[in-house]
Amino acid sequence: MDVGKIIDKYGSRRRFLIAILQDIQEQERYLPKEALRQVSLRLGMPLVDVYGVATFYSAFSLEPRGRHEVTVCLGTACHVRGSHRILEEFERQIGVEAGHTTKDGEFTLESVNCLGCCAIGPVVVVDKVYHGEMTSNRVKTLISQCRKAQKVEAS
């Protein structure tokens, strides 16, 4: 982890705190405590203020995230079209409940109240790619695609 380079990129300016935290999270898949301490020291801000920003926005995580992030929309339109069954199928297939990461660190499963694309619901986002008109039957295929992509990257 090279938090120092990230902070340098923004000139150690406080007004870029959120961008710095975003870059750290992108690199580490979460915000490690040591990184928050380093940001605090380098920006000359109290750690409690850095921590406050890191915990205010749901986009930031203080726990390690999975290699693949799965988000299931539970908004009204998606709910009416069966999104709860889709979430349950993801939970069954990858073995964790929403809000958690698999023990092997491969998947983080989340649910949200609305992704704002109700016309194509139910919607699932996997690694920032939206999948509309989702069904429980497609869950296994999506998980399989993630695992295959991982094997290709590893070889």
Side-chain angles (χ1 to χ4, degrees):
M1 165 176 41
D2 199 345
V3 174
K5 285 185 180 177
I6 292 172
I7 297 169
D8 289 344
K9 176 178 153 186
Y10 293 98
S12 300
R13 288 176 279 191
R14 290 180 180 189
R15 66 182 172 164
F16 293 115
L17 173 61
I18 291 174
I20 291 168
L21 296 179
Q22 287 174 321
D23 284 4
I24 294 169
Q25 177 147 317
E26 179 74 23
Q27 180 178 299
E28 301 297 321
R29 296 191 316 220
Y30 79 112
L31 298 173
K33 289 179 184 174
E34 185 51 39
L36 295 178
R37 284 189 195 101
Q38 194 171 350
V39 168
S40 168
L41 288 172
R42 291 281 310 276
L43 299 186
M45 297 177 67
L47 180 58
V48 68
D49 290 344
V50 175
Y51 184 79
V53 171
T55 57
F56 179 79
Y57 295 101
S58 63
F60 293 127
S61 176
L62 300 180
E63 301 292 328
R65 309 283 295 174
R67 181 176 165 83
H68 302 284
E69 294 191 38
V70 178
T71 304
V72 179
C73 181
L74 299 179
T76 303
C78 290
H79 174 79
V80 168
R81 297 174 183 143
S83 62
H84 277 85
R85 288 189 300 275
I86 294 166
L87 178 61
E88 288 170 3
E89 186 63 18
F90 270 108
E91 290 174 336
R92 192 179 70 73
Q93 291 277 335
I94 62 175
V96 294
E97 293 181 2
H100 296 283
T101 300
T102 57
K103 288 180 182 175
D104 62 5
E106 288 305 309
F107 293 94
T108 294
L109 179 62
E110 299 283 351
S111 64
V112 295
N113 291 329
C114 186
L115 288 169
C117 43
C118 305
I120 61 169
V123 176
V124 170
V125 180
V126 179
D127 297 334
K128 301 179 182 176
V129 176
Y130 285 68
H131 300 270
E133 300 176 357
M134 188 67 187
T135 65
S136 296
N137 293 334
R138 291 176 52 204
V139 168
K140 188 173 185 176
T141 302
L142 277 178
I143 292 170
S144 200
Q145 288 171 346
C146 288
R147 289 188 169 132
K148 284 180 185 174
Q150 175 185 336
K151 286 181 182 176
V152 171
E153 289 174 10
S155 59

